Amino acid sequence: MAKYTKDMTIGAMLRENPMVAPVLMEAGMHCVGCPSAQAETLEEAAMVHGMDIDTLLEKLNQL
């Protein structure tokens, strides 16, 4: 079962594992520290940044 899912918030993911930040930033999501990102789901953030959610989840779940 996947550790990270598209409905998890960025904030929850970062609290659980700070190593999520470099993966998100490498993918182009440089606003991981902004207040709105804390409550935004991974799917919402991927959509805003024009990222493929499945590819992003694959990278995150390799952590």
Side-chain angles (χ1 to χ4, degrees):
M1 185 171 167
K3 183 175 184 177
Y4 299 108
T5 62
K6 63 183 177 180
D7 61 334
M8 293 180 78
T9 64
I10 303 294
M13 293 170 64
L14 290 169
R15 284 188 296 277
E16 178 186 319
N17 183 358
M19 292 308 297
V20 164
V23 174
L24 295 176
M25 292 179 71
E26 182 181 300
M29 196 178 298
H30 300 282
C31 61
V32 294
C34 75
S36 63
Q38 298 302 304
E40 194 171 44
T41 67
L42 185 61
E43 184 174 40
E44 291 167 337
M47 184 174 49
V48 167
H49 291 280
M51 298 175 183
D52 178 60
I53 186 67
D54 295 322
T55 301
L56 188 55
L57 278 170
E58 185 178 320
K59 289 179 183 178
L60 288 167
N61 282 309
Q62 289 176 3
L63 289 175

